[in-house]
Amino acid sequence: MALISRKKLNLVEDDRSLLLNPSLRRRFGVCGALLLQQVHFWCTTHPNSRAGEAWCYNTYETWADQVGYSVRQVKYTVKTLTAAGVLKTGNFNKISYDRTLWYRVDY
């Protein structure tokens, strides 16, 4: 039996893992499922109460890094999920030129 080298093992251990909900994947694709799960995670673990709801915020670049897709794909997915009524976006920034979007899952 061959031993697994430490270098190969670090590849798995040093990276974070995201679980993929099969029903979300079938309905919204892999990027959509991962994005919805990340928004749910951030809203439940680090909630920011705005308009009586829990919201989270990140840039498209940060979301892309978290789900492993391009910024372009994340923008498209946010647009698709918003149009489907599953993802809500808002701008609750105090500075008018700050265009960072806030997100929440519309359960």
Side-chain angles (χ1 to χ4, degrees):
M1 183 169 166
L3 294 174
I4 298 175
S5 73
R6 186 71 183 152
K7 185 177 180 181
K8 288 182 182 178
L9 192 57
N10 282 342
L11 178 66
V12 176
E13 290 178 348
D14 291 343
D15 207 0
R16 67 191 187 305
S17 296
L18 296 177
L19 298 175
L20 183 62
N21 182 308
S23 60
L24 287 177
R25 182 195 52 80
R26 282 190 293 276
R27 183 147 184 211
F28 303 111
V30 175
C31 185
L34 291 173
L35 190 59
L36 284 171
Q37 290 174 181
Q38 283 300 100
V39 170
H40 172 77
F41 168 78
W42 285 109
C43 285
T44 55
T45 60
H46 300 84
N48 291 290
S49 183
R50 301 288 188 268
E53 300 284 345
W55 293 77
C56 65
Y57 62 90
N58 268 322
T59 62
Y60 287 125
E61 291 79 9
T62 304
W63 288 125
D65 182 53
Q66 289 181 19
V67 299
Y69 278 82
S70 69
V71 173
R72 183 173 164 244
Q73 184 64 40
V74 168
K75 285 181 181 181
Y76 174 79
T77 303
V78 166
K79 183 178 176 181
T80 302
L81 293 173
T82 303
V86 178
L87 187 67
K88 295 290 183 184
T89 61
N91 184 327
F92 301 106
N93 304 306
K94 294 178 182 174
I95 302 170
S96 62
Y97 61 83
D98 184 355
R99 295 177 31 191
T100 302
L101 287 178
W102 293 62
Y103 304 88
R104 75 175 179 86
V105 178
D106 191 6
Y107 301 98

